[in-house]
DNA sequence: CCAATTAGTTATACTTTTGTAACCATTATT
DNA sequence: AATAATGGTTACAAAAGTATAACTAATTGG
């Protein structure tokens, strides 16, 4: 195994992270009423479908009480809903509502507005490169980092 | 200009962000005494060299009072230092100390430990792909998102 | 059946982040 | 010289994240 490649990848990702943090999370906070935690929860639901409270916590490395609070707020605005699990009465399954799905997409759209305006500054070659590269990073990271 | 490519890139980056958030920021918080904001500030200093308080705020889209607080804590632990600007007595320039540089690297190392352990699960082909792709994403994003 | 475990909530406390307004010192403008 | 603008700090407030303990309800394992 090539340790140096892993080191380089980690260094790259650590550099990328604050750039995305600033370009995505900050606009998301200021332009919408939803909290970053709420967006993370909805992202997990979008990817995995229905999730129990505990599953959400595992997905996001969040303590359960934190999940409770975030889901409470998402229910208040009607973005997700609770459903009792027929097989285990302790379990509460969370799923997105149509309203949640719609708003999730529109929030992402508005949050990435600034980001997109800067992407438009790129030349065709860089745009092509970034299209492929970001897709590859996304897919590979999803396989190793997005386990329920 | 190809709007669909920009949309795809934005979607990819928005998907990547929470994965990095969970894999990098969370371990960083739990394993070290430093705050995410402190790491962001040190990252900016590492990249740009000496920065004024206002420059740091612009770099990270942070209000100035927040920068003051973060820098205060970084000074307490000896990671950065203040220097008066000889050309403008209002300006206070911040630079990293040797201790700060050393610890910055070791914190990054420990924060990426979990991440690296998961990267090692990848096959050679994926590892190669990710090495190139993450490097490309990093470099292109730096050119458009990392302006002082 | 009883003890141990698991799922989820409630309560509490603390830290970090975010935002704003007021303030002082210095520089730039006119 | 007076005014405006800039750089930075102080003070304050509110929202969000983080963490832990205690608790109820339900399931599992002996």
């Amino acid at each position: 195994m090539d340790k140096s490649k892993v080191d380089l990848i980690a260094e790259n990702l650590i550099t990328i992270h604050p750039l995305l943090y600033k370009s995505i999370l900050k606009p998301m906070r200021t332009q919408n009423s939803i909290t970053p935690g709420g967006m993370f929860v909805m992202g997990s639901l979008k990817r995995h479908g229905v999730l129990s409270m505990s599953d959400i916590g595992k997905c996001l490395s969040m303590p359960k009480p934190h999940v409770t609070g975030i889901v409470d707020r998402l229910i208040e605005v009607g973005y997700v809903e609770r459903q009792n699990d027929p097989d285990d009465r302790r379990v509460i399954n969370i799923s997105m509502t149509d309203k949640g799905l719609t708003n999730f997409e529109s929030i992402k759209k508005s949050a990435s507005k600034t980001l997109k305006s800067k992407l438009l500054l790129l030349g065709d070659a860089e745009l092509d490169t970034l299209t492929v590269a970001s897709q590859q990073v996304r897919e590979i990271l999803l396989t190793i980092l997005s386990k329920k």
Side-chain angles (χ1 to χ4, degrees), chain A:
Chain A
M1 65 187 82
D2 199 337
K3 190 81 174 53
S4 70
K5 281 180 191 166
V6 171
D7 284 337
L8 182 53
I9 294 170
E11 179 69 26
N12 288 336
L13 296 180
I14 285 185
T15 305
I16 292 170
H17 173 246
L19 299 175
L20 298 184
Y21 182 86
K22 180 191 159 188
S23 307
I24 294 176
L25 206 81
K26 293 239 170 161
M28 193 176 288
R29 233 189 285 252
T30 54
Q31 291 166 12
N32 298 281
S33 60
I34 193 145
T35 160
M39 282 301 282
F40 289 164
V41 168
M42 290 211 284
S44 300
L45 290 172
K46 178 85 186 297
R47 188 170 312 130
H48 294 108
V50 179
L51 286 175
S52 74
M53 297 295 283
S54 293
D55 286 340
I56 294 175
K58 283 175 204 158
C59 259
L60 300 171
S61 307
M62 244 176 220
K64 286 191 291 180
H66 194 189
V67 178
T68 299
I70 292 174
V71 168
D72 280 348
R73 263 169 277 149
L74 290 176
I75 288 176
E76 272 176 33
V77 291
Y79 290 178
V80 305
E81 55 190 7
R82 279 181 229 257
Q83 284 154 348
N84 291 323
D85 189 308
D87 298 329
D88 188 335
R89 286 194 294 172
R90 292 170 303 177
V91 175
I92 294 179
N93 292 313
I94 310 297
S95 59
M96 292 186 77
T97 61
D98 289 341
K99 182 181 176 188
L101 275 168
T102 307
N103 283 59
F104 181 62
E105 292 307 322
S106 81
I107 290 170
K108 284 202 296 183
K109 208 161 286 181
S110 90
S112 58
K113 229 172 142 184
T114 323
L115 176 63
K116 285 184 193 168
S117 72
K118 289 179 182 162
L119 290 175
L120 287 172
L121 301 174
L122 292 170
D124 278 346
E126 287 175 312
L127 216 52
D128 286 341
T129 302
L130 192 54
T131 304
V132 176
S134 65
Q135 183 75 28
Q136 290 171 331
V137 172
R138 169 187 179 165
E139 281 172 8
I140 297 178
L141 288 188
L142 274 177
T143 65
I144 54 171
L145 298 180
S146 157
K147 52 185 79 168
K148 197 197 302 184

